[in-house]
């Protein structure tokens, strides 16, 4: 039997494969617009290189449209451990383990 559930992500396509050096960091901003549902999101993504094999990635979405209700989305945390990396002249191949978590309703944790 296969069980299904709703999954959330932080735009893994290119950001999770990004090489980040030890102590290095990357900050990326993206605007995502879904025309069918009229939803417009602004996502801030941050990556930090713990060392050559370990990286922490954080994604924080903010809903621009529609402007009703809570606009700050759930924060995504992702840990990447690089098992294999093959750098060649014509490209790079990587194989990594990914583990992550979602912090739901993140702004409520900041309120006193």
């Amino acid at each position: 039997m296969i069980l299904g559930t709703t999954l959330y992500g932080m735009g893994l396509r290119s950001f999770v494969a990004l090489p980040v050096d030890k102590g290095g960091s990357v900050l990326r901003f993206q605007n995502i617009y879904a025309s069918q549902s009229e939803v417009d999101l602004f996502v801030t993504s941050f990556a930090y290189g713990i060392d050559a094999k370990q990286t922490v990635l954080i994604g924080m979405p903010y809903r621009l449209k529609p402007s009703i209700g809570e606009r700050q989305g759930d924060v995504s945390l992702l840990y990447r451990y690089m098992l294999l990396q093959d750098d060649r002249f014509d490209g790079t191949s990587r194989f990594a383990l990914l583990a992550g978590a979602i912090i739901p309703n993140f702004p409520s944790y900041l309120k006193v």
Side-chain angles (χ1 to χ4, degrees):
M1 171 172 22
I2 297 176
L3 301 174
T5 184
T6 303
L7 298 176
Y8 302 95
M10 57 179 283
L12 297 179
R13 291 182 198 114
S14 62
F15 199 58
V16 77
L18 184 72
V20 183
D21 294 331
K22 178 181 180 179
S25 59
V26 176
L27 184 63
R28 179 175 81 169
F29 303 103
Q30 54 183 149
N31 187 17
I32 302 169
Y33 178 70
S35 60
Q36 291 179 343
S37 59
E38 294 290 322
V39 173
D40 196 6
L41 292 176
F42 181 77
V43 181
T44 303
S45 301
F46 177 76
Y48 176 76
I50 299 169
D51 60 28
K53 293 185 175 251
Q54 300 179 82
T55 304
V56 175
L57 303 106
I58 301 170
M60 296 173 281
Y62 182 79
R63 189 180 64 245
L64 300 172
K65 283 175 39 183
S67 61
I68 57 173
E70 185 65 52
R71 297 177 83 170
Q72 175 66 48
D74 299 339
V75 173
S76 301
L77 294 174
L78 189 66
Y79 169 79
R80 177 186 73 195
Y81 184 81
M82 193 74 62
L83 294 172
L84 299 170
Q85 181 170 338
D86 181 22
D87 295 317
R88 298 178 310 279
F89 180 74
D90 61 339
T92 299
S93 297
R94 294 183 186 96
F95 183 73
L97 295 175
L98 299 173
I102 300 287
I103 301 173
N105 198 12
F106 181 70
S108 67
Y109 296 116
L110 301 177
K111 294 176 186 171
V112 180

